């Protein structure tokens, strides 16, 4: 039989064909195929008949009967039932479910990939930390969620660009420059003259030392050499930003995160993009002058009050370069843009979108999308850890990676809905127990690898396995988990929710461990042995695929 890897897509296409026969002249509604809550209601349900009742002026049950009659033949459908007001319940054949094992083994690393994005361009901006110090654990959550989201969207068929935006202009950079300059002059944070807004971490001393030593640093293809002149504020500014950008890059590489594009806020000014955006906004008629300031009438676009664009001193407020930056993204051809940021950015969303609408260049309403993550609390021995040896005032991402490893750090930071508060328990992340979800999932993969290694033959033999023998309760559950994986990818992509992959893998691992504890695999009966080995090899493949999206390794031995 032909192997169907995505039952939902297959059924959608069948119902689309039936719809064209039953209602060729009606507006084609979206065909929703969903999993019923109760097993008795089949494997999938379609409410198309109810959607058509009003336009066709017929009873949903009559339309359901017509749709069933018009449905093309498929050897994956065992039976169809009309339920309730007109739901069509679909029952999938056991054979079609069993053959998913072969489909997974043949598809390999591409199993679960779907054409949802159809190759369209999406730009995902994430981390985007100010280059004023080492990355903290909150930046780490942004890095984990953003990077996993990119991998989910790639698996869902989008053409993804990863982007990092540096706020290398403004008050915080001025404070950084002054802090480094004072350290260069031998003044420490203990000195009464140290500014209130100055940076106090030990890393500032490292930057100052490197500047005085006239070191050269590379950041984003730029080489910046220190001149060592403690009175050259501009030189200190450029060197400090480059030094801390390089440090952040090193931390991100250790975290397995790489970017395609690095954008600088300062470049938006030097390239004239901020002035151009402001001029366009003025020309659009959505601005006005008041109290020696330039205002944007954001209330025209749903904001609760108008916002200042240019202050009376001639400087721009911080959302103005954001508007210029996003205009640039639009011009680069991104049909979709997603910004993964901390929850403290919530207030800027409305005004950035308002500014983009006011430009009147065809940018859709509600563009860009935002994914906002909440704070992270780090626990050790049940108590909150608040400071770092290096940064002084917060826990750095690098210290977390060094202590618990990249795998556990990435999983824990990505495994909760971004909008929920996250407690990172260092002791749990380091534990080799079933309570640690990373260990639990990786252990499932290692167990399967050990069984296959003990068997010792070529895995391609398993493509010929008689999967019709997979009919135990445990096997049926695992088959359904394999079938569900493409749907999990779709849901994670549609909801911008990579944590759904983590949930799924934990559930899959639990079902595998139950099967492992209840079954034997290297049995005397070759047909049964090959069928079971094929199933667990498929489970291992899906675990690898899911962990790859999370940026977590799939060890063969533990």
């Amino acid at each position: 039989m032909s192997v169907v890897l995505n039952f939902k897509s297959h059924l959608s296409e069948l119902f689309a064909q039936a719809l064209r026969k039953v209602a060729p002249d009606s507006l084609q509604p979206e065909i929703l195929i969903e999993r019923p809550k109760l097993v008795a209601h089949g494997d999938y349900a379609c409410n198309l008949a109810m959607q058509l009742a009003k336009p066709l002026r017929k009873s949903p049950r009559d339309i359901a009967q017509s749709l069933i009659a018009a449905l093309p033949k498929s050897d994956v459908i065992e039976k169809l039932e009309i339920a309730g007001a007109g739901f069509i319940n679909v029952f999938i054949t056991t054979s079609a479910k069993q053959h998913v094992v072969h489909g997974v083994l043949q598809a390999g690393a591409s199993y679960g990939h779907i054409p949802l994005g159809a190759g369209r361009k999406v730009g995902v901006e994430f981390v985007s930390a100010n280059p004023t110090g080492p990355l903290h654990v909150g930046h780490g959550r942004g890095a984990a969620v953003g990077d996993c989201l990119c991998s989910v969207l790639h698996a869902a068929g989008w053409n993804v660009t990863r982007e990092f935006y540096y706020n290398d202009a403004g008050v915080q950079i001025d404070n950084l420059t002054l802090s480094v300059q004072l350290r260069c002059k031998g003044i420490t944070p203990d000195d009464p003259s140290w500014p209130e807004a100055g940076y106090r971490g030990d890393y500032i001393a490292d930057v100052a030392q490197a500047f005085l030593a006239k070191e050269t640093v590379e950041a984003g293809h730029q080489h910046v050499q220190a001149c060592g002149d403690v009175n050259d504020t501009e030189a200190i500014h450029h060197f400090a930003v480059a030094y801390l950008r390089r440090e952040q890059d090193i931390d991100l590489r250790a975290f397995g995160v790489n970017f395609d594009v690095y954008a600088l806020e300062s470049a938006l000014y030097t390239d004239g993009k901020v002035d151009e955006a402001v001029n366009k906004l003025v020309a659009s008629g959505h601005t006005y002058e008041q109290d020696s300031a330039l205002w944007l009438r954001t209330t025209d676009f749903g904001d609760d009050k108008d916002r200042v664009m240019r202050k009376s001193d001639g400087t721009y407020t911080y959302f103005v370069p954001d508007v210029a930056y996003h205009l640039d993204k639009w011009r680069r051809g991104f049909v979709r843009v997603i910004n993964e940021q901390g929850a403290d950015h919530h207030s800027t969303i409305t005004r950035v979108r308002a500014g983009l609408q006011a430009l009147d260049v065809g940018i859709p309403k509600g563009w860009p999308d935002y994914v906002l993550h909440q704070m992270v609390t780090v626990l050790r021995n049940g108590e909150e850890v608040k400071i770092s040896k290096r940064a002084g005032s917060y826990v750095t991402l690098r210290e977390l990676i060094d202590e618990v490893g990249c795998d556990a750090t990435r999983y824990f930071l990505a495994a909760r809905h971004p909008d929920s508060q996250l407690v990172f328990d260092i002791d749990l992340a380091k534990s080799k127990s079933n309570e640690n979800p990373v260990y639990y999932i990786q252990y499932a993969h290692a167990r399967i690898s050990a069984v296959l290694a003990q068997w010792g033959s070529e895995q391609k033999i398993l493509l010929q396995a008689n999967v019709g023998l997979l009919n135990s309760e445990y096997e049926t559950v695992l088959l359904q988990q394999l079938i569900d994986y493409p749907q999990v990818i779709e849901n994670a992509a549609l909801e911008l929710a990579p944590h759904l992959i983590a949930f799924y893998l934990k559930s899959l691992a639990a079902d595998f461990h139950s099967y492992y504890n209840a079954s034997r695999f290297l049995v005397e009966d070759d047909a049964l042995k090959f069928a079971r080995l094929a199933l667990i090899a498929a489970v291992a493949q899906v675990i690898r695929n899911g962990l790859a999206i999370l940026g977590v390794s799939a060890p063969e031995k533990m």
Side-chain angles (χ1 to χ4, degrees), residues 303-412:
D303 203 357
D304 58 341
K305 62 181 180 180
D306 294 341
R307 305 290 174 174
V308 174
M309 288 173 55
R310 189 175 59 228
K311 294 181 276 189
S312 55
D313 64 4
T315 60
Y316 292 117
T317 53
Y318 59 90
F319 86 93
V320 177
D322 275 1
V323 172
Y325 174 45
H326 284 86
L327 173 60
D328 181 65
K329 288 185 185 182
W330 176 253
R331 286 173 170 166
R332 282 189 272 143
F334 291 113
V335 295
R336 190 173 190 197
V337 161
I338 301 162
N339 296 338
E340 203 294 338
Q341 296 171 321
D344 55 335
H345 288 80
H346 192 274
S347 61
T348 66
I349 295 174
T350 305
R351 62 199 79 163
V352 170
R353 285 177 174 166
L356 293 169
Q357 290 296 295
L359 287 168
D360 201 22
V361 293
I363 294 174
K365 199 174 179 182
W367 192 97
D369 288 319
Y370 285 85
V371 174
L372 302 180
H373 66 261
Q374 294 289 340
M375 297 289 291
V376 181
T377 303
V378 180
L379 294 185
R380 182 191 278 112
N381 300 325
E383 293 185 2
E384 185 176 350
V385 184
K386 284 191 174 176
I387 60 167
S388 142
K389 296 183 189 73
R390 185 151 179 269
S393 58
Y394 55 81
V395 179
T396 68
L397 172 62
R398 190 54 187 258
E399 284 167 329
L400 213 50
I401 296 170
D402 289 345
E403 181 154 2
V404 306
C406 182
D407 283 346
T409 305
R410 282 191 66 121
Y411 183 94
F412 273 68

Side-chain angles (χ1 to χ4, degrees), residues 63-95:
I63 297 169
Q65 296 217 302
S66 300
L67 286 169
I68 289 171
L71 208 67
K73 290 280 179 278
S74 168
D75 54 9
V76 309
I77 296 177
E78 182 178 306
K79 65 174 177 174
L80 298 152
E81 287 180 355
I82 302 169
F87 280 103
I88 300 173
N89 290 340
V90 184
F91 295 78
I92 303 295
T93 66
T94 302
S95 177

Side-chain angles (χ1 to χ4, degrees), residues 136-251:
H136 56 60
V137 68
H139 295 134
R141 188 175 194 188
V145 172
D147 197 45
C148 295
L149 181 57
C150 289
S151 297
V152 164
L153 291 168
H154 171 73
W158 287 87
N159 176 5
V160 182
T161 297
R162 291 165 161 84
E163 190 149 341
F164 191 125
Y165 175 66
Y166 284 103
N167 290 103
D168 64 334
V171 176
Q172 289 176 308
I173 300 298
D174 293 342
N175 290 335
L176 168 69
T177 304
L178 177 59
S179 303
V180 173
Q181 186 175 39
L182 290 171
R183 281 285 201 165
C184 286
K185 293 178 176 179
I187 299 169
T188 68
D190 300 328
D191 194 285
S193 66
W194 192 266
E196 183 67 32
Y199 292 96
R200 297 167 177 272
D202 290 347
Y203 68 91
I204 296 292
D206 298 340
V207 181
Q209 194 175 350
F211 181 80
L212 293 171
K214 299 183 181 179
E215 286 185 15
T216 300
V217 297
E218 182 186 354
H221 310 302
Q222 284 183 310
H223 289 81
V224 179
Q225 182 174 10
C227 66
D229 181 354
V230 299
N231 295 312
D232 191 336
T233 307
E234 192 169 343
I236 293 171
H237 168 141
H238 287 301
F239 182 78
V241 167
Y243 184 99
L244 290 168
R245 280 185 63 193
R246 182 191 66 180
E247 293 295 295
Q248 290 182 355
D249 287 349
I250 291 169
D251 290 351

Side-chain angles (χ1 to χ4, degrees), residues 407-485:
D407 283 346
T409 305
R410 282 191 66 121
Y411 183 94
F412 273 68
L413 290 176
R416 293 284 307 275
H417 192 291
D419 199 29
S420 63
Q421 297 282 336
L422 191 148
V423 175
F424 193 114
D425 188 328
I426 287 176
D427 303 308
L428 177 61
K430 288 168 75 173
S431 72
K432 291 177 168 53
S433 71
N434 290 347
E435 279 69 50
N436 178 353
V438 194
Y439 178 84
Y440 190 61
I441 295 163
Q442 290 179 322
Y443 186 42
H445 186 269
R447 270 182 151 178
I448 296 170
S449 299
V451 172
L452 293 172
Q454 193 181 344
W455 170 54
S457 296
E458 286 281 322
Q459 282 197 41
K460 60 186 176 188
I461 298 171
L462 300 178
L463 289 169
Q464 309 304 319
N466 177 8
V467 290
L469 299 172
L470 298 171
N471 50 25
S472 76
E473 183 186 337
Y474 296 104
E475 289 158 352
T476 303
V477 167
L478 281 174
L479 288 169
Q480 190 59 57
Q481 285 275 25
L482 299 181
I483 290 163
D484 286 344
Y485 182 62

